[in-house]
Amino acid sequence: MSSEPVETDDGKTLYPVEPAANLGEGERITVNIKGREITLFNSNDEFHAVLNFCPHQGGPLCEGLLDGTLTMEDWEWTYSCDGEIVSCPWHGWEFDIKTGEHLSKSDYRVPTYDVVVRDGEVYVVE
Amino acid sequence: MAQSAEEIPARLKKIDTIVDCDFHVTERQEDILPYLPEPWSNVFGRSKGDDYGFLSSLYPSAGLINPITTGKVQSESVRSKEEAQVGIDLIHSDKVVITPTLNLYLGCVRNEEVAAALAHAYNEWLLDTMIDTDRGMYGAAVVAPQKPQKAAEEIDDRASEDGIAAVFFPSGGISPLAGAEKYYPIYEAAEANGLPVMMHNASGNMMTAFPRAFADLTRFISSHVVAHPMMHMCNMADMITRGVPVRFPDLNFVVQEAGLGYIPYFMRRFDHEYHSKKEDAPMLEAEPSEYIRRNFSFTSQPIEGTGEPEYVDSMVRLMGGEDNLMFSSDYPHLDFDYTDEMMNLLPSFDVDELNNVYGQNALETFDF
Ligand code: FES
């Protein structure tokens, strides 16, 4: 990490993760912030931060495949949300990395965190 | 890994010994082919197996899509003690009984001689590669149900090996079913050697055997116990997974004469599957159980477990019976239920709920 946490005026803390330039499209990095593993994804040139802990049985969610998902429109199979869905490598539960929502089970959600980029550094907001 | 292998969850600490009785290896065809006995060793020994998976291999499969075939689940390989140890540490188990993966399909290998040879080869590989009692790694010796006499010999040979804790009977896809006299040599050998017989299906082989399985049921009781609920579960699973209630949201189905306990079971098992495999049913906008509650009703007869009102009461609660159960008698069939039978079995139901079950639900369902 290239810098220290930054306190903001509204009482939040920005935890520095990585210079934005280091994290290319489709790449990810997992860091430990206050004892929690949080994964920062660069997906479609947007950053998303997700807790690396699957709400199903505690699997390493963010180590899983990042791709899209099969959906159906007018009874035709389609593939959508490319780069926005992470599948837990343990049992395949799928989560939207933008919202943390499980694709089929609305009462399951993985924590996500706001992300800001300042002076070329990506921060997770807590 | 988010959850490290060293940290034992607090609730497990109270438990003295954790035995994992179904710990699979992920053996490949190429692992076991070198252990084939003659003449199969000669015949297949030239082959290295292939990279094309089950479809072109010796083991038949239904070829269905699942999260492994789509790359969503990264199942660990377990083909060495070191790889097994990763799983043992993760599960915090003290002992494991190692069971196969590819050889789950052994029951539907058509050539019975080849099947027996494959079982033999698997066991050789298992003993050579995986068994280690010092590390809690025990195994189940696979037998080929197609060749019971060879299977019995296999059991006699393996039983004294250190670390063989059971006989593994790949029960999916077998014909005839496991009650047939044909298999007695296997059961006798297991009993004589003090080994339990593990029965394990794979969905790919079990489903292909269903019509045969029905044809092979040789008695009325055995067929009647399973036929109604099995057929309903197959039909409902297919209807829901392929979106029938999505296409016909206002259509109700009345499912009859299969008992009660399978309904809460089926709902929960279906939901459990669905949440790992939503892509297989992408038109669904709610859990399978919700479609079952919305589009399906169930008639009550024959109620099982009538000596245990607390069982029946809880099953009906768990299926949401206050809204979807409808009284039926099946009179005059030999297992008919008398009218007040159910009443005495639902102690937690208030008057309104009993009214639903005995009439209101039917009034809403049928176009009287
Ligand atoms: S632990 Fe993530 S899907 Fe089961």
Side-chain angles (χ1 to χ4, degrees), chain A residues 24-27 40-48 66 81-85 97-98:
Chain A
E25 162 61 26
E27 293 183 344
L40 183 74
F41 293 94
N42 178 348
S43 159
N44 302 325
D45 287 322
E46 281 178 17
F47 294 109
H48 302 284
L66 181 68
C81 306
D82 196 25
E84 296 173 0
I85 309 297
I97 61 167
K98 294 180 300 184

Side-chain angles (χ1 to χ4, degrees), chain A residues 37 52 58 60 63-65 67-72 75 77 87-94 102-105, chain B residues 1-3 67 70-75 90 242-243 246-247 272 274-283 287:
Chain A
E37 282 188 12
N52 183 28
E63 293 175 16
L65 184 70
D67 74 335
T69 190
L70 288 170
T71 52
M72 202 168 247
W75 299 92
W77 299 80
S87 306
C88 179
W90 277 12
H91 313 97
W93 280 26
E94 297 167 276
H102 186 279
L103 292 200
S104 64
K105 203 168 172 65
Chain B
M1 301 283 275
Q3 178 169 314
T70 56
K72 303 255 166 178
V73 166
Q74 294 150 35
S75 270
L90 184 72
R242 298 172 71 176
V246 178
R247 277 187 196 267
H272 187 79
Y274 171 66
H275 292 308
S276 296
K277 306 169 185 75
K278 181 185 193 303
E279 283 185 310
D280 221 19
M283 81 298 282
E287 294 184 315

Side-chain angles (χ1 to χ4, degrees), chain A residues 6-90:
Chain A
V6 180
E7 304 296 328
T8 65
D9 295 342
D10 53 357
K12 295 198 163 145
T13 308
L14 308 186
Y15 293 91
V17 177
E18 187 76 9
N22 289 357
L23 204 65
E25 162 61 26
E27 293 183 344
R28 67 187 92 175
I29 183 171
T30 299
V31 293
N32 191 311
I33 296 178
K34 293 202 297 183
R36 277 167 299 177
E37 282 188 12
I38 294 174
T39 301
L40 183 74
F41 293 94
N42 178 348
S43 159
N44 302 325
D45 287 322
E46 281 178 17
F47 294 109
H48 302 284
V50 181
L51 187 70
N52 183 28
F53 186 88
C54 180
H56 178 220
Q57 290 182 6
L61 172 62
C62 296
E63 293 175 16
L65 184 70
L66 181 68
D67 74 335
T69 190
L70 288 170
T71 52
M72 202 168 247
E73 268 164 45
D74 295 331
W75 299 92
E76 295 289 338
W77 299 80
T78 49
Y79 178 78
S80 60
C81 306
D82 196 25
E84 296 173 0
I85 309 297
V86 67
S87 306
C88 179
W90 277 12

